[in-house]
Amino acid sequence: MKLLALTTLSSLCLAHVALGQQPLAATKAKTSAPVTAVATEQPGAADEFHKMLARSNGAWTGQATMTFSPDAPPMTSTSTLINHMAMGGLYQVSEITYVIMGKPITGIRVTGYDANKKIFTRAMIQDGGNGVAMEGPWDAASKTMTFRYQQMNNATGKAADMKEVYTIVDANTEVLEIYRVDPQTGQESKILHVKWTRNQ
């Protein structure tokens, strides 16, 4: 059961590069431009979203609750999150550490904003898991980014439909929720809830 839980979690909390990736050869010419040139080409409407990401810079502590199956008791964990901006302020890089059943798990998450598509992009890689890439819209009313994606389950070898909702509650509180979609019923069940509190 412990191995299944770790495998599931390792498949859960991963990091996101935009889904519309192109082969390296196709993008090589584009990457030769200086970062400052890329930044100045971003439409002004994107500036506020980059500033919003930058406002989360610093260290955070998370209280996580994980539910792997309806008949299993929830598991809890304390986690750490450290955010900083990179690439001329265009991307938020997050270092995340969880301790599950005494085992530390470290992940790197990258979040950006695609000004052309008007959506957020997110990617995550983590110890012992497959990388995940996703993109999704911002809802100003609820202050949430909502990402839908597929994620490979290491235990079954099959891809599962997933949803991540990230809420900016206030300047010192953010919430991460991850849902799995049941392939038979289409119903979503929450499998991870993390409340992040900024370290003072």
Side-chain angles (χ1 to χ4, degrees), residues 85-157:
M85 298 302 287
M87 304 297 289
L90 295 179
Y91 295 94
Q92 177 194 72
V93 178
S94 306
E95 300 174 51
I96 307 169
T97 301
Y98 293 85
V99 177
I100 305 298
M101 294 180 290
K103 176 179 175 138
I105 300 175
T106 301
I108 300 293
R109 185 180 73 198
V110 180
T111 306
Y113 182 76
D114 188 320
N116 295 317
K117 293 183 178 180
K118 296 181 173 54
I119 54 175
F120 279 93
T121 62
R122 175 164 281 184
M124 180 147 184
I125 52 175
Q126 181 175 298
D127 294 337
N130 300 311
V132 173
M134 64 185 76
E135 55 186 25
W138 167 255
D139 180 75
S142 60
K143 297 193 284 189
T144 59
M145 309 170 204
T146 301
F147 306 94
R148 291 188 181 274
Y149 61 102
Q150 285 198 323
Q151 181 174 311
M152 185 63 67
N153 186 312
N154 289 339
T156 65

Side-chain angles (χ1 to χ4, degrees), residues 12-16 109 111 122-124 132 134-137 144-149 151 162-167 175-180 188 192:
L12 265 190
C13 319
L14 302 172
H16 322 300
R109 185 180 73 198
T111 306
R122 175 164 281 184
M124 180 147 184
V132 173
M134 64 185 76
E135 55 186 25
T144 59
M145 309 170 204
T146 301
F147 306 94
R148 291 188 181 274
Y149 61 102
Q151 181 174 311
M162 310 287 290
K163 181 177 80 172
E164 175 178 315
V165 179
Y166 202 92
T167 305
V175 173
L176 165 68
E177 298 169 291
I178 295 181
Y179 299 80
R180 180 186 290 121
E188 297 175 346
L192 177 67

